[in-house]
Amino acid sequence: MKTKTLLFSLLAFIVFTLSSCGPNNEEYADKVVGNYNITITPYLTVKYEGQALPVTIDEIKTTCSITKANADDDGSVIMKINGINGVINDIVMNGYCSGLGLKLEDSKYDGFITTENNDRIECDIILKNTTASISNAKVLNWNSTVTGKCEINYIGLDITCDVTGTINYYATMIIE
């Protein structure tokens, strides 16, 4: 009986010791807090009356900032992608840092995107975000799956279409 108790006590001590060795979520958040140059590459398709048409959109190069969401040191962060006048509106995403990376919550974008032909698409879309790995090189890379609606002006008519696709993000920290 004493052997069993000793064995369980030793096992509990080992589990406690191993679980307290890794960095806490605040340390992971500290790795991503800062300002970034970001490249956004949309791959979108609009669907209207049974027709699916790809929308050609150039890479969007802008900046973004990541700040801690609160003082609780729980790893929560807010990412704000800065809009570019005439190209895209601001995008705000909430996230959580842990040993698995930066998990960006699903978010909504209700704004516009300018296409390669300078056409303006009014979007009301959901961005289903994935986890971005946190590297020592201060690089974040992730994809968002897009679903929702958009309004396009086609031959003088405003047409509401379904929109699907992906948006790729590639951010590199600005070293100051």
Side-chain angles (χ1 to χ4, degrees):
M1 190 69 162
K2 286 185 179 185
T3 307
K4 221 183 228 187
T5 305
L6 180 65
L7 183 61
F8 283 122
S9 298
L10 184 59
L11 185 59
F13 176 74
I14 290 171
V15 169
F16 175 74
T17 303
L18 290 177
S19 67
S20 63
C21 288
N24 62 24
N25 293 336
E26 177 189 7
E27 292 175 19
Y28 290 115
D30 288 339
K31 288 183 178 184
V32 299
V33 168
N35 296 312
Y36 292 79
N37 288 316
I38 187 166
T39 302
I40 304 167
T41 310
Y43 300 98
L44 303 178
T45 301
V46 294
K47 295 177 185 174
Y48 181 72
E49 293 187 359
Q51 299 293 324
L53 304 168
V55 179
T56 306
I57 301 172
D58 288 332
E59 283 185 343
I60 301 165
K61 294 182 185 263
T62 186
T63 58
C64 73
S65 61
I66 300 176
T67 56
K68 289 185 179 180
N70 54 48
D72 292 340
D73 299 334
D74 64 354
S76 297
V77 294
I78 298 172
M79 175 184 287
K80 180 182 178 225
I81 299 174
N82 299 312
I84 301 173
N85 190 23
V87 178
I88 193 169
N89 290 352
D90 290 347
I91 302 172
V92 177
M93 299 178 188
N94 294 317
Y96 177 82
C97 297
S98 70
L100 300 175
L102 170 57
K103 172 60 179 138
L104 294 164
E105 297 174 4
D106 294 350
S107 56
K108 183 176 175 123
Y109 178 68
D110 190 3
F112 67 90
I113 300 174
T114 302
T115 67
E116 187 178 76
N117 300 331
N118 293 324
D119 294 329
R120 185 175 166 125
I121 300 174
E122 294 290 333
C123 300
D124 185 7
I125 56 177
I126 301 294
L127 303 170
K128 193 166 187 71
N129 296 307
T130 59
T131 300
S133 64
I134 300 173
S135 72
N136 291 332
K138 302 293 184 180
V139 174
L140 301 173
N141 188 19
W142 75 98
N143 297 320
S144 296
T145 303
V146 175
T147 57
K149 301 275 185 197
C150 70
E151 189 174 289
I152 299 175
N153 187 297
Y154 181 72
I155 313 173
L157 299 171
D158 289 331
I159 300 171
T160 301
C161 307
D162 292 326
V163 62
T164 58
T166 60
I167 299 177
N168 298 334
Y169 304 87
Y170 185 79
T172 56
M173 185 173 266
I174 300 170
I175 307 298
E176 298 173 21

